[in-house]
Amino acid sequence: MSDTSSRSPSPWTPLSAEGALAMEELHKEFGEYVQKRSVLAKDGFGQEVEYIASVALKEFWDFDRVNSILTTLEVKERPEQIIANFTHIFSILVYISRPTDIGLFTPRLLDDQHLPLTSRPTDWPTTPRNDDLYETFRKHQWRFCPLEFRNGYMHKRYLEPQMILPVKYKEQLSPVSAGGDESVVFKVEVDKDCNETLPSSTVVFKVYSTEEAKDLFKAEADAYTSILAEHADYITMCYGSFEQNGKYTIILEYAPRGTLLDFWLNTHPPHDTAELTRYWRASFQLLQGLELIHEVSRLNKPSRWVWSMTHHDIKPANILVFPSTPDTSDPYDVKFKLTDFGTTRITKKLAGADHSLSLANNGNRMYTAPECCRTTTVQEHWSNRVEPTVDVWALGAVLSDGLIWSIWGESGRDKYRNERQREIAQIPALKGSGYDACFHNGIHRLEAVDATHQLVLDHSRKIDSLSEVVSELILEHMLQGIKGRLSPSQTFNKFEAKFDRWKRFQESTNTSAIIDRSDHRPTNVSLSTSSANNTHPKRQEGIQREPKPSSKPVARLKDAFNSCSSFSQQTGSFCQHHRSTSVATHSNPEFNKETSDNKGDFRLSREEIGRGRPPEQNTISNGNRMEQLVSFKDVYMHLTTKRHRSMSFSRMLSSRRGISTNVMNLVGISEALSKIDAFGSRDQYILIDNYESMKDHKLEVEIAARVISYYVKEVHSTKKKNAIQLYFASEMGNPSKHGTSSSVETAIRHHEFIPGYCAMNLSLRNILEKIAASPKPSSVYVFTDAVWEPGPCEVGRVIAEAVSAMVEKRLKAQDIMIQFIRFGDGIHQRERLRKLDDDLVTTYDLDQAYDIVDTKSYNSNVPDILVGSISSHHDGKSSDASR
């Protein structure tokens, strides 16, 4: 075996007659094959030319054919070497009738990897014949060297203008910019024979066509390269980039459902809870994408250097929509991904240094943050230094748009934009500056944003409580000033926590699935600027209100949104179908008419609020009578839907006490609170068993604690602040005091439930000794599953000692009430609590009048739980009363 790399090519000798005939036949046969297998495409000049893929060449050149030709032409090369490394070169030589010159390539190792030849090899022999070979070879090589997607990632690769792109341009997805410095996006189909690395033959070519746009191309290509492929759930996949003949192209995955704008235009607003849930989960997942681009350095190995990026152009057109599962027909089975990093800036700084970025491009002007706003000619030449959280504002603005769309469709989104424009038109600094539909006034959030959120929430009907959660997140954590705005990860964690809590509550209440939005238009809504502002979520640091514009744009929302029709071009067919399928459809045409006693008053029955069962079915037996049962879930539903349940919109805005009227009217509540109030002001203690066995009941504990706190605070709301003392069994020395039921709920939600067993005797003794030290009428509500420390139960003895002390100090029996609220249904635990309720007096030989203990299950009647042992009537009821 000879070493072809060390030998020189033999001097050229003419072919024999037999060889010349063989050459002619080979040239004809191969020429016909090439013509048959060639495909038409465009080169860098935009000219249509033909190419043949390497797959087709390898099919033609099998071992027998190559060996036969080399033998006939007396070429001293090994067939396996030609097939392995010189298929393209040999094909070109055959095509130009110069196969015997393969010996010029093999010793110089000019194999297929060196194609295309763009310059003459330095050791190429200089003879007229070899000069001609080189020029002829270069001219015809392009047909055999199309761009092929093989051998890894292609980053800003330079392509010769003659190189053929093996793609078919199927559709232009974006228009050409009038300014000429933006990109044009094409849907293209890559020849499968030229593709080994792309997961799909359908991709997107994003083409920057001017020299001025080269910096945008480089920024975007670098940004995609910094983000690893395994994070493609949140960021559009980039398959490479190249430049050719003054055009700069980025290869991206194709989004079959277009942009978020397309989604809003072509998809009906969420029809049920499942669709609503999937939409908002997909939307908030975009925060994961922001976190990735803001903290690029975390994606790679730790370093003293920190790489940070800011997208700076978040808008619906830069969010792509993909199906979550292949071939799905469900319009909400989607995932959203960020794309378009043309205005992205990447900075390299020492770890711990200031991560603010200097941005020469201020991105889009509708969704941009206030600190990016430039309103004068001088400011246009500044390089703003901004925090990466400008992207959080922008995404919050997009989500705000999406909130309005999810309830009132595209027509509502149009009206929302108009309201922002009206308010901005009254601000001289912004008027005519291109910020005419943004979400701020150059400093803080627009009044129209808050008012529109409030308006749509107050008229979102049925079970859509998730929208209120979303609105709160957007307004309190995203559309905030710099100091009040959270990072993407912090915002996402907030969403996850709130969404999980909302989901668990939905499951616990078995909420109906259908959202009735058959008529998206509110009926005769009255919205005053002053009342609306009082109901908005509290603004955090950095959002400071200035005097309102004289036009009062918020006050015009009534007329603007009354014209939102459910039969818009985009959503009409959906709404027509919805009228025939939703629960509690109103076929009566008089339903939406204004009457003298019902102006826009969307009153909902209990089945519309929660479980789908009429109130009279929720009853318990009380001797020969059937009493309606009021559960913790019933009350909690009223408390947490106070903004748009049961009362008219105008009444709700004008009456903060409206919720009290609604909740107090539940069966048995007024009677129970009157009995408590009859004994005067009381100290209120809540003791939470926060050990491992109670973890599964944490949500129920939160609900029950909020309800009890609300009622006992309501009784003595004018007499005592911070009247509720909250204890956790694991930390008895550190109680917290609360003046509102919501703060009690929040404290429990954020408190850890730990491994181990509760020492209930010690926990209860702690509270009872505190009461004994300064005797005052007190109620103690104990939340437990009665899974306590192993061994003899000493809880009864602790209570008996407290009763003896009460007798000694001549306290009345009603001065101390201990109410155990049981969670779970363990047999031994039920018996343990029953004995404390029924047998304590006889076991410890106590005065029968001092039966201060009552036990009820979480599913029992709330009025009975509130009163407990204060009333023998309520105390005597079964502890397991339930639906």
Side-chain angles (χ1 to χ4, degrees):
M1 182 180 298
S2 61
D3 184 359
T4 59
S5 65
S6 61
R7 61 181 171 82
S8 299
S10 302
W12 176 80
T13 56
L15 292 172
S16 64
E18 181 183 359
L21 181 61
M23 173 73 79
E24 184 179 346
E25 291 177 352
L26 174 63
H27 178 75
K28 180 181 178 181
E29 179 187 12
F30 185 62
E32 291 175 350
Y33 179 80
V34 169
Q35 190 63 41
K36 178 182 178 182
R37 297 296 299 270
S38 287
V39 180
L40 199 64
K42 290 183 179 181
D43 61 14
F45 297 109
Q47 299 174 341
E48 289 195 337
V49 288
E50 292 184 335
Y51 71 90
I52 183 169
S54 61
V55 171
L57 296 179
K58 292 182 182 300
E59 289 178 7
F60 185 84
W61 296 116
D62 58 28
F63 181 86
D64 291 340
R65 188 189 297 273
V66 175
N67 185 53
S68 175
I69 291 172
L70 294 178
T71 301
T72 302
L73 299 179
E74 298 180 354
V75 176
K76 306 300 183 182
E77 300 292 345
R78 293 179 292 116
E80 57 271 20
Q81 183 183 24
I82 299 295
I83 293 172
N85 300 311
F86 294 88
T87 302
H88 289 257
I89 288 176
F90 192 63
S91 297
I92 298 168
L93 292 173
V94 171
Y95 190 74
I96 62 176
S97 301
R98 300 285 293 268
T100 56
D101 288 309
I102 187 68
L104 283 171
F105 293 84
T106 52
R108 294 175 174 79
L109 299 180
L110 290 174
D111 59 11
D112 293 342
Q113 297 298 319
H114 290 81
L115 295 180
L117 293 182
T118 57
S119 61
R120 184 172 178 142
T122 55
D123 59 346
W124 189 267
T126 304
T127 66
R129 187 176 187 282
N130 290 335
D131 293 345
D132 178 70
L133 171 62
Y134 174 73
E135 294 301 328
T136 306
F137 186 95
R138 277 202 65 193
K139 177 181 178 181
H140 292 280
Q141 68 177 335
W142 305 108
R143 183 169 198 156
F144 299 88
C145 304
L147 177 65
E148 296 197 338
F149 298 91
R150 312 184 195 280
N151 303 324
Y153 190 80
M154 174 172 56
H155 178 56
K156 293 192 292 191
R157 177 178 168 183
Y158 175 78
L159 303 181
E160 292 291 332
Q162 298 91 339
M163 179 166 277
I164 302 168
L165 303 180
V167 303
K168 292 183 179 179
Y169 290 81
K170 308 295 288 186
E171 180 183 358
Q172 183 172 317
L173 302 177
S174 68
V176 180
S177 170
D181 59 351
E182 295 292 338
S183 61
V184 182
V185 179
F186 299 95
K187 174 185 176 183
V188 303
E189 195 77 22
V190 178
D191 186 347
K192 61 180 179 15
D193 288 339
C194 295
N195 176 28
E196 287 183 357
T197 59
L198 302 181
S200 171
S201 59
T202 303
V203 296
V204 165
F205 275 13
K206 182 176 182 179
V207 184
Y208 293 92
S209 300
T210 66
E211 191 65 27
E212 291 77 11
K214 188 174 182 178
D215 289 341
L216 295 177
F217 162 76
K218 289 182 176 179
E220 185 161 14
D222 289 340
Y224 278 120
T225 304
S226 301
I227 301 171
L228 305 180
E230 54 261 36
H231 302 292
D233 281 345
Y234 319 112
I235 307 292
T236 304
M237 276 291 294
C238 177
Y239 302 126
S241 54
F242 61 87
E243 56 178 291
Q244 183 184 36
N245 197 30
K247 293 185 177 182
Y248 308 92
T249 302
I250 297 176
I251 309 168
L252 302 169
E253 66 176 322
Y254 171 66
R257 298 193 181 181
T259 69
L260 183 58
L261 274 178
D262 299 321
F263 182 84
W264 287 341
L265 286 169
N266 301 321
T267 309
H268 62 73
H271 168 268
D272 55 33
T273 302
E275 289 182 347
L276 193 70
T277 299
R278 290 199 294 273
Y279 173 74
W280 285 118
R281 282 204 66 87
S283 296
F284 276 91
Q285 287 291 336
L286 290 167
L287 287 163
Q288 302 269 60
L290 285 186
E291 180 68 13
L292 289 173
I293 67 174
H294 287 182
E295 301 290 344
V296 177
S297 57
R298 295 184 184 179
L299 307 180
N300 305 300
K301 295 181 179 179
S303 169
R304 63 191 294 263
W305 292 101
V306 174
W307 292 90
S308 182
M309 296 195 303
T310 300
H311 188 287
H312 205 51
D313 198 16
I314 301 294
K315 57 185 178 182
N318 287 342
I319 296 170
L320 299 183
V321 185
F322 297 82
S324 288
T325 54
D327 303 321
T328 180
S329 59
D330 184 347
Y332 283 91
D333 185 15
V334 295
K335 52 187 173 183
F336 300 145
K337 298 186 183 184
L338 297 174
T339 191
D340 196 340
F341 293 83
T343 57
T344 296
R345 287 292 302 272
I346 307 176
T347 60
K348 179 182 179 183
K349 297 180 180 293
L350 284 171
D354 175 25
H355 287 187
S356 63
L357 303 177
S358 176
L359 297 177
N361 188 313
N362 59 336
N364 74 81
R365 298 200 170 194
M366 181 181 294
Y367 298 95
T368 190
E371 60 267 33
C372 300
C373 183
R374 304 175 187 177
T375 59
T376 68
T377 304
V378 173
Q379 289 174 333
E380 288 293 344
H381 297 284
W382 290 354
S383 292
N384 288 7
R385 297 196 66 82
V386 298
E387 297 292 330
T389 56
V390 295
D391 289 339
V392 175
W393 173 286
L395 182 57
V398 171
L399 298 183
S400 178
D401 245 358
L403 175 69
I404 307 308
W405 169 84
S406 72
I407 296 175
W408 278 349
E410 269 299 285
S411 58
R413 206 168 69 86
D414 289 341
K415 299 299 182 183
Y416 184 27
R417 181 175 60 252
N418 292 339
E419 287 306 309
R420 300 197 306 272
Q421 288 174 328
R422 287 193 183 99
E423 185 173 346
I424 291 171
Q426 305 303 314
I427 305 171
L430 291 180
K431 187 176 181 181
S433 63
Y435 295 94
D436 61 332
C438 67
F439 291 71
H440 59 81
N441 65 2
I443 302 174
H444 52 69
R445 193 170 65 229
L446 293 176
E447 295 279 358
V449 173
D450 295 70
T452 305
H453 275 232
Q454 188 66 60
L455 186 62
V456 296
L457 290 178
D458 281 313
H459 294 287
S460 64
R461 297 181 231 162
K462 294 288 179 67
I463 54 136
D464 179 12
S465 55
L466 180 56
S467 293
E468 189 166 0
V469 173
V470 168
S471 176
E472 180 182 326
L473 281 164
I474 293 170
L475 297 183
E476 292 190 4
H477 304 303
M478 301 180 80
L479 296 184
Q480 284 285 328
I482 299 172
K483 294 182 179 180
R485 202 179 306 153
L486 298 184
S487 70
S489 61
Q490 290 171 328
T491 309
F492 182 74
N493 289 339
K494 287 276 188 183
F495 168 74
E496 286 284 272
K498 288 179 178 291
F499 178 81
D500 181 66
R501 175 176 169 73
W502 172 85
K503 185 178 179 182
R504 287 187 290 134
F505 181 74
Q506 293 290 107
E507 293 171 349
S508 70
T509 55
N510 190 28
T511 307
S512 171
I514 300 298
I515 301 173
D516 183 4
R517 291 185 181 139
S518 54
D519 186 353
H520 293 277
R521 180 178 58 205
T523 304
N524 296 305
V525 174
S526 175
L527 175 60
S528 67
T529 305
S530 58
S531 61
N533 290 340
N534 292 334
T535 62
H536 298 155
K538 182 180 180 181
R539 290 167 179 80
Q540 302 194 5
E541 185 178 2
I543 295 294
Q544 301 170 348
R545 286 293 169 197
E546 296 179 343
K548 299 168 191 170
S550 59
S551 65
K552 301 184 184 296
V554 180
R556 280 196 292 270
L557 285 174
K558 170 185 173 181
D559 295 333
F561 284 97
N562 275 344
S563 63
C564 290
S565 171
S566 60
F567 292 97
S568 63
Q569 288 181 336
Q570 294 79 18
T571 60
S573 60
F574 155 68
C575 293
Q576 183 67 36
H577 166 72
H578 192 168
R579 282 193 168 91
S580 63
T581 59
S582 61
V583 173
T585 300
H586 298 282
S587 58
N588 186 351
E590 298 299 314
F591 175 74
N592 286 324
K593 288 187 176 181
E594 179 180 355
T595 63
S596 58
D597 59 351
N598 180 19
K599 298 184 178 182
D601 189 1
F602 294 113
R603 296 188 179 275
L604 304 181
S605 64
R606 173 171 286 166
E607 63 267 28
E608 290 174 317
I609 294 174
R611 296 157 304 285
R613 285 181 284 185
E616 59 270 22
Q617 292 181 357
N618 304 322
T619 57
I620 55 175
S621 175
N622 181 25
N624 295 325
R625 295 187 300 120
M626 296 299 293
E627 295 181 355
Q628 183 176 339
L629 181 144
V630 177
S631 73
F632 283 118
K633 295 175 185 177
D634 292 331
V635 182
Y636 188 83
M637 182 69 78
H638 283 281
L639 287 174
T640 56
T641 55
K642 60 191 176 189
R643 277 190 242 178
H644 55 287
R645 299 293 189 258
S646 300
M647 296 187 66
S648 70
F649 180 51
S650 55
R651 284 176 57 206
M652 185 61 68
L653 291 179
S654 62
S655 175
R656 171 62 184 89
R657 299 293 293 174
I659 180 61
S660 299
T661 303
N662 185 29
V663 175
M664 294 304 176
N665 285 340
L666 294 175
V667 175
I669 293 295
S670 295
E671 178 190 358
L673 297 185
S674 295
K675 290 180 179 180
I676 297 174
D677 196 35
F679 291 96
S681 178
R682 304 178 70 84
D683 286 348
Q684 306 292 341
Y685 296 85
I686 291 180
L687 172 58
I688 307 296
D689 176 354
N690 64 314
Y691 282 87
E692 191 166 25
S693 61
M694 284 285 287
K695 275 186 177 181
D696 291 341
H697 306 294
K698 188 175 183 181
L699 177 62
E700 295 172 334
V701 170
E702 294 170 21
I703 292 172
R706 176 162 185 180
V707 170
I708 286 178
S709 301
Y710 179 84
Y711 281 129
V712 298
K713 184 69 175 66
E714 195 73 14
V715 174
H716 305 297
S717 59
T718 60
K719 301 177 183 178
K720 203 166 189 178
K721 293 184 178 180
N722 296 328
I724 303 165
Q725 300 183 58
L726 177 63
Y727 286 80
F728 291 92
S730 64
E731 301 175 19
M732 290 302 297
N734 187 30
S736 56
K737 295 183 179 181
H738 301 269
T740 65
S741 60
S742 58
S743 68
V744 171
E745 179 187 15
T746 301
I748 298 171
R749 183 190 315 156
H750 293 156
H751 205 90
E752 186 179 5
F753 279 43
I754 66 174
Y757 295 94
C758 175
M760 182 56 71
N761 57 323
L762 299 180
S763 299
L764 198 56
R765 185 189 298 277
N766 185 297
I767 293 176
L768 294 175
E769 286 179 350
K770 181 177 180 179
I771 295 173
S774 180
K776 294 179 182 178
S778 302
S779 296
V780 182
Y781 296 93
V782 183
F783 295 65
T784 183
D785 59 358
V787 179
W788 300 331
E789 276 189 338
C793 180
E794 297 294 328
V795 176
R797 185 176 301 281
V798 170
I799 297 173
E801 291 172 358
V803 170
S804 298
M806 291 174 65
V807 173
E808 182 179 341
K809 294 180 180 182
R810 298 183 179 181
L811 299 179
K812 294 180 292 185
Q814 292 82 5
D815 283 348
I816 297 181
M817 182 272 283
I818 302 175
Q819 178 64 272
F820 286 93
I821 304 172
R822 176 174 55 80
F823 298 82
D825 202 33
I827 296 176
H828 296 296
Q829 286 71 44
R830 289 176 60 180
E831 180 62 15
R832 171 176 284 173
L833 292 178
R834 186 201 64 77
K835 287 181 179 180
L836 290 176
D837 188 357
D838 298 342
D839 301 342
L840 184 69
V841 171
T842 55
T843 300
Y844 293 96
D845 194 23
L846 302 174
D847 187 332
Q848 186 67 38
Y850 285 86
D851 182 6
I852 66 172
V853 176
D854 185 33
T855 66
K856 293 286 190 293
S857 78
Y858 168 76
N859 294 316
S860 296
N861 197 28
V862 170
D864 296 333
I865 295 174
L866 288 171
V867 177
S869 63
I870 292 178
S871 165
S872 59
H873 168 71
H874 291 271
D875 186 9
K877 291 186 180 181
S878 169
S879 65
D880 292 303
S882 60
R883 283 178 174 82

